[in-house]
């Protein structure tokens, strides 16, 4: 897929969709428990309030809001490939992957890792 095109299902890979789905599942479960499995004993525990039903409704609505928020993404549905480094601070944008790996390799060669220094002390 080209980076200039966005899928009409771009919101499915969003974390808000996953969280919304979990909230909706728990909400539906609590709604059913509150409507059908809530006896007088449970009502007495909560002071006559059907806590399962109200909390299930709240979770369902919160999950629905997360899905709507993911569908109408505030970032415009941009994928990570569409985000440019121009928005990053200049210090971050100026470091390339090669420079970063070279610095990491130099640090490892000099024994700067915590594992290497611990192993030498034990010998």
């Amino acid at each position: 897929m080209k980076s200039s095109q966005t899928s009409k299902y771009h919101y499915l890979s969003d974390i808000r969709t996953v969280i919304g789905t979990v909230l909706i599942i728990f909400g539906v479960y609590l709604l059913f428990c509150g409507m059908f499995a809530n006896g007088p004993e449970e009502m007495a525990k909560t002071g006559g309030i059907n806590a399962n039903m109200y909390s299930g409704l709240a979770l369902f609505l919160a999950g629905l809001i997360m899905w709507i928020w993911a569908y109408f993404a505030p970032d415009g549905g941009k994928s990570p490939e569409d985000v440019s480094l121009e928005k990053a601070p200049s210090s971050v944008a100026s470091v390339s992957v090669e420079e970063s790996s070279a610095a990491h390799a130099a640090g490892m060669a000099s024994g700067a890792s915590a594992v290497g220094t611990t192993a030498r002390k034990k010998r």
Side-chain angles (χ1 to χ4, degrees):
M1 180 172 22
K2 294 181 183 177
S3 63
S4 62
Q5 296 175 344
T6 57
S7 170
K8 65 179 183 175
Y9 299 111
H10 69 275
Y11 60 94
L12 291 177
S13 64
D14 197 343
I15 188 67
R16 294 170 287 196
T17 306
V18 176
I19 293 170
T21 302
V22 170
L23 291 176
I24 287 173
I25 290 170
F26 285 141
V28 167
Y29 175 75
L30 285 175
L31 275 171
F32 280 127
C33 287
M35 285 192 248
F36 302 115
N38 205 13
E41 306 88 31
E42 287 83 15
M43 293 293 284
K45 291 178 187 176
T46 59
I49 298 172
N50 195 344
N52 284 338
M53 189 176 72
Y54 289 124
S55 59
L57 182 64
L59 285 172
F60 182 81
L61 291 175
L64 196 61
I65 289 170
M66 294 292 276
W67 264 85
I68 292 170
W69 184 24
Y71 184 75
F72 299 108
D75 61 8
K78 292 181 183 174
S79 65
E81 295 87 23
D82 294 338
V83 178
S84 67
L85 286 176
E86 295 171 1
K87 294 181 182 178
S90 61
S91 62
V92 174
S94 64
V95 177
S96 69
V97 175
E98 292 82 19
E99 292 172 353
S100 175
S101 4
H104 178 68
M108 293 300 287
S110 67
S113 73
V115 176
T117 55
T118 307
R120 281 190 213 112
K121 289 179 183 177
K122 288 183 180 180
R123 289 182 189 171

